[in-house]
Structures are given as C-alpha cells and as structure tokens.
Amino acid sequence: MVTFIIRRLIQSAIVLILVTILVFLALRLLPGDPVRMYLTSNSMQELSEEQIEAVRREFGLNKPLVMQYFEWIGGVVRGDLGISILTRVPVAQEIARRVPITLYIGIISFIIGLILGIPAGVIGAVRRGTWIDSLITTLANIGITIPVFWLGILLIYFLGLYLKLLPVMGYTSPFTDFWMSIKQIIMPVICLALFPIAGNARQARSSMLEVMRQDYIRTAWAKGLRERAIIMRHALKNGLIPIVTLSGMGVGTILGGSVFVETVFAIPGMGRLAVTSVLNQDYPYVQAITLIISIMVLLSNLLVDIAYGWLDPRIRYE
Amino acid sequence: MKKLIVTLVSLLILTLVIVGCGGGVQTQTTSTPTASNIQATSSLTVSKYGGTLRVITAAVPVSPIGMPSETLGPSLESMKWAEEGPLIQLPDGKLGYKLAESAEYDMSTDNSGITIHLKKGIKFHDGTDFNAQAMKWNLDRLIEKGLYGGTTNWKSWDVIDPYTVRISYKEWRNSMFTDMMEGTMSFMVSPTAFEKNGIEWMRWNMVGTGPFKQVNFERDASLTLTRWENYWQSGKPYLDGVKLIYITDEMTAIATMQSGAADVLMGASAKQAYDLNSAGFKVISRVEGTTALIPDSANPDSPWSNPKVREAAEYAIDKQNLAKTYGYGFWQPAYQIASPIIKPIYDPNYPGRKYNVEKAKQLLSEAGYPNGFKSKLIAQNTVNRDILVSIQADLAKVGIQVDLDMPETAKFNEYMFGSGWSNGLLYTSLFDSMNMNNSLVFYFAEAPLGSCFKVLQRPTGFQQLLIDSMHAPLADPTVPVGDPAKIKNIVNTIFNNVMAIPLYHGASISVTTSKVNDTGFYEQFRSWAFTPENIWLSK
C-alpha cells in the first residue's frame, strides 16, 4: 500500500506540474492586458507608454513567459505564491485567510451529502417500489437539477425574508460567534449539499439494488439474519465502492459550487476571490487558486483510491 | 459502519481545527478605539441621534484603501468615510474647501500654479498633525508611484510655510486646478503612520483625517469604522460608527435591505432602486454620465466610415424606450455627449436625432446600403445583455444586423485603449468631468493627448480644437470649467460628425431607510463624494 501511495503521489505531482503549465499559459493567452486593466481602472487621465512599461516591469510581466513561469513555480516551492497585482497583498496570506472559510462550508456540505444521501439511497433500495422509494427518487432527481444560484436566492427570500429564520447573508467565524456562524452557513450548506445528497442517494440506491440481488445476500437471508445485519454488514460495504468514487468527484463539485454560493451569500471565501481575480485578470491569485483546488482534487482522488482497498480487501495495489 | 461514522466525525473535527488554525477572518486594525471613546460619543449632547450606520456597497475595494497613491476607482466608496482632501468640487463647478482654508490661483502661462492654504488644528487618526509637510509627503507618494496622468504636468510641489503648499505646473491647462479633486489623488494620509507601520500595513489601514477611523477591514466582507473623536468639525460626526457590507449580488443586496440588516444601499442599480422604492425605501438619485456607441469610423473598409450610416443608426435607436425600459424612471434618453450634470455645457433643448425609422432607412439607402449590412456590437461582459438586445433589434429594423461581442474587461480595454476594433459599434459609458475638456481629451483626442478609440475618425482640425479648448483662459479660476463656448463647439463637432451615438444618461442612485438623514449623496459634483460627517439616524 505504501508503494502504491508513493506511486500515486508521484503521478499527482506530474499532473500538478502539467496543470500549473496549462493554467499559466491559458491565462496569458486570454485576450487583454492586465496592466492596461490595472491602469485604466486607476486613472481617467492619459498615461505615457513609459509609465505603462514601468508598471509592467514592476510586476515582472515584461519578462519572457518561460522565465515568468519558472520564477513563479520557484516561488511556489518556497511557499511564496507571489504578490497580487491589484491588492498588493502576498497571495499566500490571502489564500490562507480564505481557504478555511471555503473548507468549513465545503466539508460540512460534503459530510451532510454523505450522511443524508447514502441512507436515503439505501432506504429507497430496501423499500423499492414503495411510496418512500418514489419520494426519495423524485427528490433526488429534483436535487440534481436545481441550479445552485437559483436555490440560493429562493432560500434567501423564503428562510431569510419571509420566515425571518436566518440572516440573509454574511459569514462569521465559529470561534467569534458560534451560533451566528451556524445560522449563517445553513443556507450556503443547503445549496452546496443538495447536489451531493441527491447524487449519493441515486448512486446508493442503484448500487444497493445491484448488491441486494447477489447470491451472498440471498444466502444471508436464508441463514435467517436480521435485515439490519444483512444491509449494514453485508450489503452496504460492498455497495459503497461506486459511492466513494462519486464522493471523490463531489469534492470538485463542491469547490465549483462555492463560486456561486460565496457570491450569493457574500461569503469572503476562495470562490469569491476566484471570481474577482478572474474578472480582474489578477494572475497571481488565479494561478494560486487553481493550484490549491488542483491539490485538493488530487488528494481527494488519492483518498478515494485508498478507500477502495479498505472497502474491498480483494483490491490489491502491489 | 462504525468506522465510517468515526471517519466522518473525524473529518468534522478536522474542519473545525482547520478553521481554527486559519484564525477565522483575520482583521486588520488601526490604532484601537477605546471603549471610553465610544462611550463619550454616546453621551454627546447632540440633537441628532448617532448609532451605527450599516451600508451595503457592491464597490468592493480591489486595491489598497490606505495608500491613495495606489488606489483604483472602486475603493473610493470605502475611503471616503476615513479620508479627505483639501478641495472639493461643487455641483456648479465651483471649488469648495475641505482641508483647505482657501486657495490662490495663478493663471499665467509661464508660472501657473495653485497655492493651497490649509486649515490649522486638523489631526490624522493617529493623533499627528495634518500640515503642509504631510500634504507634500502625500504628493511625493503620488509622483513616486506615477499612476496619475495629471501629475505629469506638475513642475514642482513645495511647502511655502507650515500650512501652505504650492503646486506649480509645466504648462497652463484650464483643467489643472481640478487635478486635486479627481479621484483619490486628493486624499491625505498620515506620513507618521506610514513610517511607523510600513507600506504593507498602510495599504489596508486608513489613517486619514475623515470623520470615521478604521476599526477593521475584512476583504470582500466588511469595513468597520468608528467615530473619530478629534474630528476637526466640532460636534461631528453624529454617528457612533459605520459598517460597510460588501455585497456584489443584486438580489442579495435587495434582500439584505428588506430584512432590515442594512440602512443604506450605495450605488444601487436602477432595478434595485425601483424594487426598493416600491417596498417603501427612500431613493436618492441624480442623472449623470452618458452611455454611447462609438463607431470604427476611421477604418475605410467599415460601413461606419460613412457618416450617413452613423446618422442612420442613431435615428434607428429608440432611446426613449431604452431609458424607460432599463432605467426604471431614473435614466434619460441622450441626444448629446454632455451629461445633465455638466451644467455649463448641457443644453436641455439640444435638437439631437430623435427616433425615426423612415429617416434611418432613407439615410442608409443614400449611403449605398438599401438592404443594410452586417456588423457587430461590442460591450463589456458586465453590461446588461438585454440593453444590447434592444439596440440589436432596433438596428435590425433598418437592416443593420449586428452580432453581439461581449468580451471580458481586459479584452474590452484592449479594444478601447489598444489597437481598436473593426466593423462595429463599441458600447461604453463615458465619465463626466465638470471641466469637460478632461473627458473630451481623454476619449476623443488623438494619441498621445488622448487614450481611447484609435479607430475613431477625427475631422480635420479637431485635435487643434481640443488643444485650444484645454489652454483657454478661465473667466473665474475658482470655477475651473474651461471655456463653455469652446467646449460646446467641440460637443457640436462630435454631434455633426456622428463621432459618437449617445444612447442614454444613466443615474447615480442610493437607497436608504426612512431613518437615515443628511447623507449629502450627489450634492457634490463627484457621485462618490458625500458628507459622512453630517449623516444621522432618526430614532
């Protein structure tokens, strides 16, 4: 297993390097000049070409692309993600402030996606054809199709304005005011968790139906085991493998969803920073955010692979 | 299954640990306000109630708010609460004084300049004095950074005495006295705070002379300010504090106002203002700015190089309907480049080219395009697409088929300030300047004097008109609006040659609850300039 993990880490590092090259080049191939963007938002008066060139030099954007890339990647290795063109703040410092906020909401959504989605799917499979199965399937289909930003606005109006149960926006650290923090993240978490809940429920239902038809389950019934023991001990563990795969992919979905959710609920997380930075072509931020998200997705895929071995001992990586 | 539960619980704990390590939202704090300060404020015997004002703005500062020399436009709404400058510009174009007591203007061609006498007894939020040395230090930073084009005309900036500064200019321009009022150039911050804390701290911590001092700033979330107890205007400000909440989503901003979580929505859109007005909120607005289409008239292969085609397009667009539909009663149709707030130039009875489809078709036929032609309509991707679709539909009625091209900001800026575009109309909002020479030169002059629209055809002698207008003497130096006759001549030249097709005059709008008083919104020339020190809340 250790060899497998090392091998996967090396593969991940290669993927990561390729991602950095792609992002670096893609940003620079985008039409438009970030220096002009910076200057034209700044001044309503004319600036000379010398002044524009001076700013380009200040941000190192006058150097050849290869040199710019190696300077950036060298900094990354040293933990220096560069300085923002617009805010002049060290990117690493800003990311460090934002990542915990996005992870806080993202991980809770992820866990809720598992806690609610898997049991719902299992119940649907076990009670196949009953009203509860129909209800779960219908809700799961709705959950998969609802756009996150639309749901966000709907929740704001219903829970925030109409029922006045929750604050309509904002973020408070749980260490500053725990209950306010919980109140503020309920709506964002509902938005982010809905897709994983629905996806997990659908996947859990179909894989459980598959497993429930297997001979060893029939044998377990024939042995007179209780339903609970058959489902929890024998069926669920085998049915979990495709769900784990889906959950791994769900990390990317949640991080992507945070872009919308953080904008709608005015949460100062990484998603909102990503939107601002892309719109402003603030290269250092966009590069760093992509790098962090890539690392998170690669790590989650690695965890999924490791989880396979735990769930199904027949899977050996050596 | 137990293992699964244990794993999930561990993940939850890990989440909380990560949040804990991140320290939640880090705050950047200036010199800490003491409880006694706040208490003293509450016990002030003013007839106007204080309290904390909660303000929503979509203008999230994307650049440093504490160093005016490095600041971009959207940061102004945040800075105005804590930072001030020597001069202000009143709606009639006259210079007014804030940190300055008075000013003298030298209009001689070889030694032009402005001598600014500063008020005495004004202190920065760190307790140090605002004086001529402090002002010079701020001007030094502007020059050092070199981001403000207007400073290229400065010959020297000198301390004359402890409370007097003179800025001398290289050449006479009638707009130069307004340099100190354009944008953040004018804002003064404490040199001592800079020396003590360094530039990185200073960038995000405002230490100005304004009525409120910064308590903390959470980027993309909020800015909290508290009353500055040593503010130079005795008895002011009335408010105990201000909290700016940064919300970019329009629906969320409306919902926040309706939920009672905010008192003011600054920089509202027409739609937001309409919705909130219907819900009983107070709307303060002013018609200003001109949104126009710029044709690539200098490209010989472009149909837009023919003035009759440009005229036809202007007649084809129903501006009245455009302003009514998308401006919700706050906008006005535009028939001239000058906006209504540029009072010396704007003519409410300007003839303009009113909606006339038949005339448009006739002009197109005369131009050799009886069946119309294909072109494109370029606009930044942040523009309301519906407006562009309406223009597209109007142009289609006379046979001009335009495809929409909505690039991101950087690419759009490339069109506008770079190499330009071909066979198309560029949709853009033009900024207002009370001395209209500033905006006319910026948009319509050829490089190196101007910065925009390389593909715009300028009639012969147009550049000279601009230069003459810039250098014309002022009838009254305290009203530096240029020579209205010369500027009107340029505006007419733009109209006659259809160099731009004005569409509508937009509006600056803010929405407040009924308990917010004396905001001063839109009472000065600049839409971002207001009087935070005068605001008070009804009980």
mmCIF file of all heavy atoms in Angstrom, chain A residues 78-106:
data_model
loop_
_atom_site.group_PDB
_atom_site.id
_atom_site.type_symbol
_atom_site.label_atom_id
_atom_site.label_comp_id
_atom_site.label_asym_id
_atom_site.label_seq_id
_atom_site.Cartn_x
_atom_site.Cartn_y
_atom_site.Cartn_z
ATOM 1 N N ARG A 78 8.955 27.485 -2.592
ATOM 2 C CA ARG A 78 9.397 28.131 -1.342
ATOM 3 C C ARG A 78 8.224 28.625 -0.499
ATOM 4 O O ARG A 78 8.411 29.260 0.528
ATOM 5 C CB ARG A 78 10.313 29.317 -1.675
ATOM 6 C CG ARG A 78 11.645 28.949 -2.312
ATOM 7 C CD ARG A 78 12.581 30.160 -2.355
ATOM 8 N NE ARG A 78 11.980 31.280 -3.065
ATOM 9 C CZ ARG A 78 12.058 31.481 -4.379
ATOM 10 N NH1 ARG A 78 12.721 30.606 -5.117
ATOM 11 N NH2 ARG A 78 11.481 32.510 -4.952
ATOM 12 N N GLY A 79 6.999 28.376 -0.992
ATOM 13 C CA GLY A 79 5.802 28.822 -0.247
ATOM 14 C C GLY A 79 5.412 30.255 -0.572
ATOM 15 O O GLY A 79 4.559 30.840 0.091
ATOM 16 N N ASP A 80 6.043 30.834 -1.596
ATOM 17 C CA ASP A 80 5.727 32.210 -1.981
ATOM 18 C C ASP A 80 4.885 32.163 -3.260
ATOM 19 O O ASP A 80 5.385 31.814 -4.330
ATOM 20 C CB ASP A 80 7.039 32.970 -2.212
ATOM 21 C CG ASP A 80 6.803 34.369 -2.774
ATOM 22 O OD1 ASP A 80 5.637 34.800 -2.798
ATOM 23 O OD2 ASP A 80 7.790 35.012 -3.192
ATOM 24 N N LEU A 81 3.607 32.516 -3.131
ATOM 25 C CA LEU A 81 2.713 32.437 -4.296
ATOM 26 C C LEU A 81 2.648 33.756 -5.059
ATOM 27 O O LEU A 81 1.833 33.920 -5.956
ATOM 28 C CB LEU A 81 1.305 32.023 -3.846
ATOM 29 C CG LEU A 81 1.200 30.636 -3.194
ATOM 30 C CD1 LEU A 81 -0.203 30.404 -2.654
ATOM 31 C CD2 LEU A 81 1.548 29.551 -4.183
ATOM 32 N N GLY A 82 3.501 34.681 -4.694
ATOM 33 C CA GLY A 82 3.548 35.962 -5.411
ATOM 34 C C GLY A 82 2.766 37.057 -4.714
ATOM 35 O O GLY A 82 2.211 36.854 -3.636
ATOM 36 N N ILE A 83 2.728 38.210 -5.360
ATOM 37 C CA ILE A 83 2.022 39.383 -4.825
ATOM 38 C C ILE A 83 0.902 39.731 -5.802
ATOM 39 O O ILE A 83 1.113 39.736 -7.015
ATOM 40 C CB ILE A 83 2.987 40.598 -4.719
ATOM 41 C CG1 ILE A 83 4.198 40.281 -3.842
ATOM 42 C CG2 ILE A 83 2.256 41.850 -4.226
ATOM 43 C CD1 ILE A 83 3.968 40.359 -2.370
ATOM 44 N N SER A 84 -0.272 40.027 -5.274
ATOM 45 C CA SER A 84 -1.400 40.385 -6.142
ATOM 46 C C SER A 84 -1.115 41.678 -6.896
ATOM 47 O O SER A 84 -0.578 42.630 -6.328
ATOM 48 C CB SER A 84 -2.654 40.553 -5.289
ATOM 49 O OG SER A 84 -3.575 41.385 -5.940
ATOM 50 N N ILE A 85 -1.505 41.693 -8.171
ATOM 51 C CA ILE A 85 -1.287 42.899 -8.971
ATOM 52 C C ILE A 85 -2.145 44.045 -8.424
ATOM 53 O O ILE A 85 -1.696 45.179 -8.347
ATOM 54 C CB ILE A 85 -1.643 42.625 -10.450
ATOM 55 C CG1 ILE A 85 -0.651 41.634 -11.053
ATOM 56 C CG2 ILE A 85 -1.664 43.919 -11.265
ATOM 57 C CD1 ILE A 85 -0.951 41.237 -12.484
ATOM 58 N N LEU A 86 -3.359 43.729 -8.019
ATOM 59 C CA LEU A 86 -4.276 44.790 -7.611
ATOM 60 C C LEU A 86 -4.191 45.123 -6.125
ATOM 61 O O LEU A 86 -4.081 46.278 -5.747
ATOM 62 C CB LEU A 86 -5.715 44.405 -7.962
ATOM 63 C CG LEU A 86 -6.032 44.363 -9.461
ATOM 64 C CD1 LEU A 86 -7.385 43.745 -9.698
ATOM 65 C CD2 LEU A 86 -5.985 45.747 -10.058
ATOM 66 N N THR A 87 -4.249 44.101 -5.276
ATOM 67 C CA THR A 87 -4.318 44.397 -3.843
ATOM 68 C C THR A 87 -2.937 44.597 -3.215
ATOM 69 O O THR A 87 -2.829 45.133 -2.121
ATOM 70 C CB THR A 87 -5.018 43.273 -3.064
ATOM 71 O OG1 THR A 87 -4.225 42.092 -3.146
ATOM 72 C CG2 THR A 87 -6.402 42.997 -3.609
ATOM 73 N N ARG A 88 -1.903 44.144 -3.888
ATOM 74 C CA ARG A 88 -0.513 44.232 -3.400
ATOM 75 C C ARG A 88 -0.300 43.413 -2.126
ATOM 76 O O ARG A 88 0.632 43.642 -1.382
ATOM 77 C CB ARG A 88 -0.091 45.686 -3.132
ATOM 78 C CG ARG A 88 -0.356 46.658 -4.250
ATOM 79 C CD ARG A 88 0.535 46.360 -5.421
ATOM 80 N NE ARG A 88 0.336 47.285 -6.501
ATOM 81 C CZ ARG A 88 1.211 48.235 -6.858
ATOM 82 N NH1 ARG A 88 2.336 48.347 -6.227
ATOM 83 N NH2 ARG A 88 0.953 49.044 -7.854
ATOM 84 N N VAL A 89 -1.204 42.500 -1.887
ATOM 85 C CA VAL A 89 -1.086 41.653 -0.704
ATOM 86 C C VAL A 89 -0.424 40.341 -1.125
ATOM 87 O O VAL A 89 -0.707 39.845 -2.218
ATOM 88 C CB VAL A 89 -2.501 41.375 -0.130
ATOM 89 C CG1 VAL A 89 -2.484 40.285 0.911
ATOM 90 C CG2 VAL A 89 -3.090 42.640 0.452
ATOM 91 N N PRO A 90 0.447 39.752 -0.256
ATOM 92 C CA PRO A 90 1.001 38.436 -0.606
ATOM 93 C C PRO A 90 -0.140 37.431 -0.805
ATOM 94 O O PRO A 90 -1.019 37.305 0.045
ATOM 95 C CB PRO A 90 1.860 38.070 0.611
ATOM 96 C CG PRO A 90 2.188 39.383 1.247
ATOM 97 C CD PRO A 90 1.015 40.274 0.990
ATOM 98 N N VAL A 91 -0.105 36.740 -1.933
ATOM 99 C CA VAL A 91 -1.208 35.844 -2.293
ATOM 100 C C VAL A 91 -1.377 34.737 -1.253
ATOM 101 O O VAL A 91 -2.498 34.384 -0.877
ATOM 102 C CB VAL A 91 -0.959 35.264 -3.706
ATOM 103 C CG1 VAL A 91 -1.948 34.166 -4.028
ATOM 104 C CG2 VAL A 91 -1.045 36.372 -4.743
ATOM 105 N N ALA A 92 -0.255 34.200 -0.766
ATOM 106 C CA ALA A 92 -0.319 33.103 0.204
ATOM 107 C C ALA A 92 -1.086 33.538 1.455
ATOM 108 O O ALA A 92 -1.885 32.776 2.014
ATOM 109 C CB ALA A 92 1.085 32.652 0.572
ATOM 110 N N GLN A 93 -0.855 34.768 1.866
ATOM 111 C CA GLN A 93 -1.528 35.295 3.069
ATOM 112 C C GLN A 93 -3.040 35.368 2.857
ATOM 113 O O GLN A 93 -3.823 34.975 3.724
ATOM 114 C CB GLN A 93 -0.952 36.689 3.333
ATOM 115 C CG GLN A 93 -1.529 37.404 4.524
ATOM 116 C CD GLN A 93 -1.053 38.864 4.580
ATOM 117 O OE1 GLN A 93 0.102 39.177 4.307
ATOM 118 N NE2 GLN A 93 -1.949 39.761 4.914
ATOM 119 N N GLU A 94 -3.446 35.838 1.688
ATOM 120 C CA GLU A 94 -4.874 35.977 1.393
ATOM 121 C C GLU A 94 -5.530 34.600 1.242
ATOM 122 O O GLU A 94 -6.629 34.365 1.742
ATOM 123 C CB GLU A 94 -5.042 36.809 0.114
ATOM 124 C CG GLU A 94 -6.470 37.225 -0.195
ATOM 125 C CD GLU A 94 -7.079 38.125 0.871
ATOM 126 O OE1 GLU A 94 -6.353 38.721 1.675
ATOM 127 O OE2 GLU A 94 -8.326 38.181 0.902
ATOM 128 N N ILE A 95 -4.822 33.691 0.578
ATOM 129 C CA ILE A 95 -5.376 32.339 0.376
ATOM 130 C C ILE A 95 -5.526 31.653 1.738
ATOM 131 O O ILE A 95 -6.521 30.991 2.004
ATOM 132 C CB ILE A 95 -4.450 31.513 -0.543
ATOM 133 C CG1 ILE A 95 -4.350 32.170 -1.915
ATOM 134 C CG2 ILE A 95 -4.906 30.053 -0.622
ATOM 135 C CD1 ILE A 95 -5.195 31.632 -3.012
ATOM 136 N N ALA A 96 -4.525 31.846 2.587
ATOM 137 C CA ALA A 96 -4.578 31.211 3.910
ATOM 138 C C ALA A 96 -5.785 31.712 4.697
ATOM 139 O O ALA A 96 -6.346 30.995 5.525
ATOM 140 C CB ALA A 96 -3.301 31.503 4.677
ATOM 141 N N ARG A 97 -6.191 32.946 4.449
ATOM 142 C CA ARG A 97 -7.357 33.504 5.133
ATOM 143 C C ARG A 97 -8.661 32.952 4.544
ATOM 144 O O ARG A 97 -9.649 32.788 5.255
ATOM 145 C CB ARG A 97 -7.328 35.033 4.978
ATOM 146 C CG ARG A 97 -8.287 35.787 5.860
ATOM 147 C CD ARG A 97 -8.072 37.278 5.711
ATOM 148 N NE ARG A 97 -8.580 37.790 4.458
ATOM 149 C CZ ARG A 97 -9.839 38.206 4.283
ATOM 150 N NH1 ARG A 97 -10.700 38.134 5.262
ATOM 151 N NH2 ARG A 97 -10.228 38.675 3.119
ATOM 152 N N ARG A 98 -8.637 32.648 3.253
ATOM 153 C CA ARG A 98 -9.869 32.259 2.565
ATOM 154 C C ARG A 98 -10.125 30.757 2.584
ATOM 155 O O ARG A 98 -11.277 30.332 2.644
ATOM 156 C CB ARG A 98 -9.804 32.690 1.092
ATOM 157 C CG ARG A 98 -9.464 34.146 0.891
ATOM 158 C CD ARG A 98 -10.689 34.940 0.734
ATOM 159 N NE ARG A 98 -10.372 36.298 0.309
ATOM 160 C CZ ARG A 98 -11.228 37.086 -0.293
ATOM 161 N NH1 ARG A 98 -12.440 36.674 -0.539
ATOM 162 N NH2 ARG A 98 -10.896 38.307 -0.631
ATOM 163 N N VAL A 99 -9.055 29.957 2.480
ATOM 164 C CA VAL A 99 -9.236 28.505 2.371
ATOM 165 C C VAL A 99 -10.040 27.936 3.545
ATOM 166 O O VAL A 99 -10.977 27.158 3.334
ATOM 167 C CB VAL A 99 -7.869 27.797 2.219
ATOM 168 C CG1 VAL A 99 -7.993 26.299 2.445
ATOM 169 C CG2 VAL A 99 -7.309 28.057 0.828
ATOM 170 N N PRO A 100 -9.733 28.329 4.791
ATOM 171 C CA PRO A 100 -10.505 27.758 5.908
ATOM 172 C C PRO A 100 -12.004 28.047 5.792
ATOM 173 O O PRO A 100 -12.822 27.197 6.151
ATOM 174 C CB PRO A 100 -9.915 28.455 7.144
ATOM 175 C CG PRO A 100 -8.561 28.878 6.734
ATOM 176 C CD PRO A 100 -8.661 29.204 5.287
ATOM 177 N N ILE A 101 -12.363 29.222 5.272
ATOM 178 C CA ILE A 101 -13.785 29.572 5.153
ATOM 179 C C ILE A 101 -14.460 28.644 4.145
ATOM 180 O O ILE A 101 -15.518 28.068 4.403
ATOM 181 C CB ILE A 101 -13.934 31.058 4.726
ATOM 182 C CG1 ILE A 101 -13.343 31.966 5.800
ATOM 183 C CG2 ILE A 101 -15.402 31.396 4.466
ATOM 184 C CD1 ILE A 101 -13.236 33.434 5.407
ATOM 185 N N THR A 102 -13.810 28.476 2.996
ATOM 186 C CA THR A 102 -14.378 27.607 1.960
ATOM 187 C C THR A 102 -14.409 26.153 2.428
ATOM 188 O O THR A 102 -15.388 25.438 2.194
ATOM 189 C CB THR A 102 -13.551 27.746 0.656
ATOM 190 O OG1 THR A 102 -13.592 29.113 0.265
ATOM 191 C CG2 THR A 102 -14.112 26.898 -0.465
ATOM 192 N N LEU A 103 -13.348 25.723 3.112
ATOM 193 C CA LEU A 103 -13.308 24.341 3.585
ATOM 194 C C LEU A 103 -14.352 24.092 4.663
ATOM 195 O O LEU A 103 -14.993 23.035 4.698
ATOM 196 C CB LEU A 103 -11.917 24.009 4.142
ATOM 197 C CG LEU A 103 -10.823 23.746 3.110
ATOM 198 C CD1 LEU A 103 -9.545 23.303 3.815
ATOM 199 C CD2 LEU A 103 -11.236 22.689 2.101
ATOM 200 N N TYR A 104 -14.521 25.065 5.540
ATOM 201 C CA TYR A 104 -15.506 24.963 6.623
ATOM 202 C C TYR A 104 -16.886 24.645 6.049
ATOM 203 O O TYR A 104 -17.541 23.664 6.442
ATOM 204 C CB TYR A 104 -15.508 26.283 7.382
ATOM 205 C CG TYR A 104 -16.565 26.480 8.446
ATOM 206 C CD1 TYR A 104 -16.823 25.506 9.394
ATOM 207 C CD2 TYR A 104 -17.272 27.675 8.525
ATOM 208 C CE1 TYR A 104 -17.773 25.720 10.379
ATOM 209 C CE2 TYR A 104 -18.213 27.905 9.499
ATOM 210 C CZ TYR A 104 -18.465 26.912 10.431
ATOM 211 O OH TYR A 104 -19.403 27.130 11.399
ATOM 212 N N ILE A 105 -17.292 25.457 5.091
ATOM 213 C CA ILE A 105 -18.614 25.258 4.488
ATOM 214 C C ILE A 105 -18.612 24.022 3.587
ATOM 215 O O ILE A 105 -19.551 23.230 3.599
ATOM 216 C CB ILE A 105 -19.029 26.528 3.693
ATOM 217 C CG1 ILE A 105 -19.164 27.703 4.665
ATOM 218 C CG2 ILE A 105 -20.326 26.310 2.927
ATOM 219 C CD1 ILE A 105 -19.234 29.056 4.021
ATOM 220 N N GLY A 106 -17.517 23.841 2.851
ATOM 221 C CA GLY A 106 -17.430 22.732 1.902
ATOM 222 C C GLY A 106 -17.435 21.372 2.587
ATOM 223 O O GLY A 106 -18.149 20.458 2.159
#
